[in-house]
Amino acid sequence: MATVNAQEQRKVIFGSSLGTAFEWYDFFVFGTLAAILGPLFYSKELGETGAFLAGLATYGAGLVLRPFGSLIFGRMGDVVGRKTTFMMTMTLMGVSTAGVGLLPTYETAGILAPILLVILRCLQGLALGGEYGGAATYVAEHALPGKRGYATGWIQICASLGFFMSLVVVLACQSIMGEAAFKSWGWRIPFLISVLLFGVSLYIRSKLNESPVFAALKASGNLSTAPVRDSFTNWSNMKYVLLSLFGAVAGVGIVWYTGQFYALIFLQKSLKVDFSTAYILMSVALALAIPFYVVFGTLSDKFGRKRLMMLSFVLASVSYIPLFQALTHFANPALEQAMARTPVRMQSNECSVHLFAGPVSDCDKVKEFLNTSGVAHSLQTSNQAGVTTSIGSASINGFDTRAIKAALEQAGYPAKADPAAINKPMVVLILFVLVFYVCMAYGPIAAYLVELFPTRIRYSSISLPYHIGTGYFGGFMLHFATLIATSTGDIYSGLYYSIAVALMSLLIGGLFLPETKDWDISR
């Protein structure tokens, strides 16, 4: 097998990481703009919360296709080669992302608009399904001895770097053209920029060589002719696929999405922090935390991958609710005080949960209004017809927005977070801690998965559990947590989904997963 020197390792890390960061940017810019895209691509009849949930579900459509992309491109990567395959995934991602920027909105094209949006989102998911496994495998197979955690730590930076890039580009566009113009047509620019990113990354990756581990296996004639079958019908390998999915990747995905995307959504939707401020605070926290992906990747070379991942699950499980409560305290103290002093209570016999339908009953309409206003509330079932909303000494019957607004104002509920009252250093610190957990969990996972599976079926075996774990468990967290919070009226209740998945991975991973840092990856 050909040896790799330090210069070649740096070249591979740079080329692979840059291309992967651009692909994550393409994938995440949709999630960054979910609050804007929902109302543009779905009927106003859904209401603001319904359109937002529909936008998150469309984001989730890309997540659904990621495992299928992993099967298609994973097989190709194990048969044709690592480099050729992720050149193809990059092309598919670049074209589909640029396509979103050219779509008509619901107002122009009606139901055709969300259909086309979902199709392009699915193509993005297929592309990303083949990208990550290829990049992680390619870099790890080029890594110097004892440096796999360090080398793949750079690949792990890419997801957050792509998210950071999406925040910066969106914020810059919105600041330059103004909020109204950005919501009208400027949202297209972050998608169209992907054409330039695609060209740069395609050129850089074209200069890279094939993985020496894969090249040696190919030269020996020992490549698998059916890597998907060999990966998932052989119990000795399938056992590790399932254990890595439920015992590691699901928890890693939950920590990633909760600490970054959901925290950003929570700031804007629940705490009513304005768009620009929320993006700036999250961008600063990401910039401070991003180097720790490589730090924890390097630490995993010394102390082990599993130990760090399990520690992150413990920290997330015990501290998520206190951390998000602290976000409320420092980002919108007036809201915290109002919720404690004057809780909002509803009584009704007609409320129901509607996933993608607009408010039906007066109770649904009141809940929609309170959720849109970022007001926590509780609901008690009663025998009375209609709905009664109690806010302090005020009692409002039916859906009367004027009376509810007046009562909320009287009780001290702020319409928006007061910029002067936001303790920005503390908010950044809390966001940094959340992303720090992400680095601890996500930094070691690429090296861990590469080491867990043999070379001849590695691309296929890595990709499926990774994209189910991060895509299904992690990505759908945004929708389910928002749905739970808006259904219960408790702004913190969505976090129980994250805590449950983190505890599941802690239990399964802690008991059944092996440590892999000293395993030979050329096997």
Side-chain angles (χ1 to χ4, degrees), residues 71-84:
L71 293 176
I72 295 169
F73 293 110
R75 181 188 183 281
M76 190 178 299
D78 283 327
V79 174
V80 178
R82 315 326 194 186
K83 175 185 171 180
T84 301

PDB file of all heavy atoms in Angstrom, residues 71-84:
ATOM      1  N   LEU A  71     -27.095   4.544   0.115  1.00  0.00           N
ATOM      2  CA  LEU A  71     -27.069   3.205  -0.503  1.00  0.00           C
ATOM      3  C   LEU A  71     -26.580   3.284  -1.948  1.00  0.00           C
ATOM      4  O   LEU A  71     -25.750   2.488  -2.384  1.00  0.00           O
ATOM      5  CB  LEU A  71     -28.466   2.582  -0.457  1.00  0.00           C
ATOM      6  CG  LEU A  71     -29.013   2.233   0.924  1.00  0.00           C
ATOM      7  CD1 LEU A  71     -30.442   1.711   0.810  1.00  0.00           C
ATOM      8  CD2 LEU A  71     -28.133   1.200   1.620  1.00  0.00           C
ATOM      9  N   ILE A  72     -27.109   4.270  -2.690  1.00  0.00           N
ATOM     10  CA  ILE A  72     -26.738   4.402  -4.100  1.00  0.00           C
ATOM     11  C   ILE A  72     -25.261   4.752  -4.245  1.00  0.00           C
ATOM     12  O   ILE A  72     -24.496   4.078  -4.948  1.00  0.00           O
ATOM     13  CB  ILE A  72     -27.597   5.480  -4.781  1.00  0.00           C
ATOM     14  CG1 ILE A  72     -29.071   5.055  -4.810  1.00  0.00           C
ATOM     15  CG2 ILE A  72     -27.093   5.749  -6.202  1.00  0.00           C
ATOM     16  CD1 ILE A  72     -30.012   6.164  -5.213  1.00  0.00           C
ATOM     17  N   PHE A  73     -24.858   5.816  -3.569  1.00  0.00           N
ATOM     18  CA  PHE A  73     -23.486   6.290  -3.726  1.00  0.00           C
ATOM     19  C   PHE A  73     -22.501   5.494  -2.876  1.00  0.00           C
ATOM     20  O   PHE A  73     -21.312   5.442  -3.199  1.00  0.00           O
ATOM     21  CB  PHE A  73     -23.411   7.783  -3.404  1.00  0.00           C
ATOM     22  CG  PHE A  73     -24.138   8.645  -4.398  1.00  0.00           C
ATOM     23  CD1 PHE A  73     -25.307   9.295  -4.043  1.00  0.00           C
ATOM     24  CD2 PHE A  73     -23.677   8.777  -5.691  1.00  0.00           C
ATOM     25  CE1 PHE A  73     -25.993  10.087  -4.954  1.00  0.00           C
ATOM     26  CE2 PHE A  73     -24.345   9.556  -6.616  1.00  0.00           C
ATOM     27  CZ  PHE A  73     -25.516  10.216  -6.249  1.00  0.00           C
ATOM     28  N   GLY A  74     -22.988   4.894  -1.780  1.00  0.00           N
ATOM     29  CA  GLY A  74     -22.113   4.045  -0.985  1.00  0.00           C
ATOM     30  C   GLY A  74     -21.637   2.848  -1.789  1.00  0.00           C
ATOM     31  O   GLY A  74     -20.453   2.484  -1.764  1.00  0.00           O
ATOM     32  N   ARG A  75     -22.569   2.225  -2.504  1.00  0.00           N
ATOM     33  CA  ARG A  75     -22.188   1.105  -3.364  1.00  0.00           C
ATOM     34  C   ARG A  75     -21.187   1.564  -4.415  1.00  0.00           C
ATOM     35  O   ARG A  75     -20.177   0.887  -4.679  1.00  0.00           O
ATOM     36  CB  ARG A  75     -23.428   0.516  -4.043  1.00  0.00           C
ATOM     37  CG  ARG A  75     -23.098  -0.671  -4.946  1.00  0.00           C
ATOM     38  CD  ARG A  75     -24.289  -1.116  -5.765  1.00  0.00           C
ATOM     39  NE  ARG A  75     -23.939  -2.292  -6.551  1.00  0.00           N
ATOM     40  CZ  ARG A  75     -23.252  -2.267  -7.683  1.00  0.00           C
ATOM     41  NH1 ARG A  75     -22.830  -1.087  -8.155  1.00  0.00           N
ATOM     42  NH2 ARG A  75     -22.963  -3.379  -8.325  1.00  0.00           N
ATOM     43  N   MET A  76     -21.464   2.704  -5.018  1.00  0.00           N
ATOM     44  CA  MET A  76     -20.560   3.221  -6.053  1.00  0.00           C
ATOM     45  C   MET A  76     -19.167   3.489  -5.478  1.00  0.00           C
ATOM     46  O   MET A  76     -18.144   3.203  -6.116  1.00  0.00           O
ATOM     47  CB  MET A  76     -21.156   4.496  -6.644  1.00  0.00           C
ATOM     48  CG  MET A  76     -20.456   5.013  -7.875  1.00  0.00           C
ATOM     49  SD  MET A  76     -21.284   6.480  -8.529  1.00  0.00           S
ATOM     50  CE  MET A  76     -22.893   5.799  -8.910  1.00  0.00           C
ATOM     51  N   GLY A  77     -19.135   4.052  -4.266  1.00  0.00           N
ATOM     52  CA  GLY A  77     -17.852   4.359  -3.643  1.00  0.00           C
ATOM     53  C   GLY A  77     -17.033   3.134  -3.323  1.00  0.00           C
ATOM     54  O   GLY A  77     -15.797   3.163  -3.374  1.00  0.00           O
ATOM     55  N   ASP A  78     -17.714   2.021  -2.978  1.00  0.00           N
ATOM     56  CA  ASP A  78     -17.000   0.784  -2.665  1.00  0.00           C
ATOM     57  C   ASP A  78     -16.607  -0.001  -3.909  1.00  0.00           C
ATOM     58  O   ASP A  78     -15.736  -0.869  -3.847  1.00  0.00           O
ATOM     59  CB  ASP A  78     -17.868  -0.109  -1.761  1.00  0.00           C
ATOM     60  CG  ASP A  78     -17.877   0.369  -0.313  1.00  0.00           C
ATOM     61  OD1 ASP A  78     -16.849   0.902   0.145  1.00  0.00           O
ATOM     62  OD2 ASP A  78     -18.921   0.233   0.353  1.00  0.00           O
ATOM     63  N   VAL A  79     -17.257   0.293  -5.039  1.00  0.00           N
ATOM     64  CA  VAL A  79     -16.963  -0.436  -6.276  1.00  0.00           C
ATOM     65  C   VAL A  79     -16.092   0.387  -7.228  1.00  0.00           C
ATOM     66  O   VAL A  79     -15.089  -0.096  -7.755  1.00  0.00           O
ATOM     67  CB  VAL A  79     -18.279  -0.846  -6.987  1.00  0.00           C
ATOM     68  CG1 VAL A  79     -17.978  -1.464  -8.354  1.00  0.00           C
ATOM     69  CG2 VAL A  79     -19.057  -1.830  -6.126  1.00  0.00           C
ATOM     70  N   VAL A  80     -16.473   1.659  -7.456  1.00  0.00           N
ATOM     71  CA  VAL A  80     -15.780   2.512  -8.424  1.00  0.00           C
ATOM     72  C   VAL A  80     -14.630   3.269  -7.784  1.00  0.00           C
ATOM     73  O   VAL A  80     -13.556   3.413  -8.381  1.00  0.00           O
ATOM     74  CB  VAL A  80     -16.776   3.496  -9.084  1.00  0.00           C
ATOM     75  CG1 VAL A  80     -16.056   4.423 -10.055  1.00  0.00           C
ATOM     76  CG2 VAL A  80     -17.891   2.738  -9.770  1.00  0.00           C
ATOM     77  N   GLY A  81     -14.873   3.801  -6.574  1.00  0.00           N
ATOM     78  CA  GLY A  81     -13.830   4.565  -5.903  1.00  0.00           C
ATOM     79  C   GLY A  81     -14.384   5.728  -5.115  1.00  0.00           C
ATOM     80  O   GLY A  81     -15.485   6.223  -5.390  1.00  0.00           O
ATOM     81  N   ARG A  82     -13.623   6.176  -4.104  1.00  0.00           N
ATOM     82  CA  ARG A  82     -14.081   7.260  -3.223  1.00  0.00           C
ATOM     83  C   ARG A  82     -14.141   8.595  -3.968  1.00  0.00           C
ATOM     84  O   ARG A  82     -15.134   9.320  -3.907  1.00  0.00           O
ATOM     85  CB  ARG A  82     -13.150   7.424  -2.028  1.00  0.00           C
ATOM     86  CG  ARG A  82     -12.649   6.226  -1.259  1.00  0.00           C
ATOM     87  CD  ARG A  82     -13.528   5.052  -1.095  1.00  0.00           C
ATOM     88  NE  ARG A  82     -12.999   4.144  -0.064  1.00  0.00           N
ATOM     89  CZ  ARG A  82     -13.529   2.962   0.201  1.00  0.00           C
ATOM     90  NH1 ARG A  82     -14.566   2.525  -0.484  1.00  0.00           N
ATOM     91  NH2 ARG A  82     -13.014   2.204   1.149  1.00  0.00           N
ATOM     92  N   LYS A  83     -13.070   8.925  -4.674  1.00  0.00           N
ATOM     93  CA  LYS A  83     -12.959  10.238  -5.313  1.00  0.00           C
ATOM     94  C   LYS A  83     -14.027  10.445  -6.386  1.00  0.00           C
ATOM     95  O   LYS A  83     -14.721  11.469  -6.403  1.00  0.00           O
ATOM     96  CB  LYS A  83     -11.566  10.404  -5.924  1.00  0.00           C
ATOM     97  CG  LYS A  83     -11.415  11.695  -6.722  1.00  0.00           C
ATOM     98  CD  LYS A  83     -10.072  11.776  -7.420  1.00  0.00           C
ATOM     99  CE  LYS A  83     -10.021  12.962  -8.374  1.00  0.00           C
ATOM    100  NZ  LYS A  83      -8.723  13.065  -9.068  1.00  0.00           N
ATOM    101  N   THR A  84     -14.184   9.489  -7.285  1.00  0.00           N
ATOM    102  CA  THR A  84     -15.164   9.624  -8.370  1.00  0.00           C
ATOM    103  C   THR A  84     -16.565   9.827  -7.826  1.00  0.00           C
ATOM    104  O   THR A  84     -17.341  10.653  -8.332  1.00  0.00           O
ATOM    105  CB  THR A  84     -15.142   8.369  -9.265  1.00  0.00           C
ATOM    106  OG1 THR A  84     -13.840   8.205  -9.809  1.00  0.00           O
ATOM    107  CG2 THR A  84     -16.163   8.478 -10.381  1.00  0.00           C
TER     108      THR A  84
END
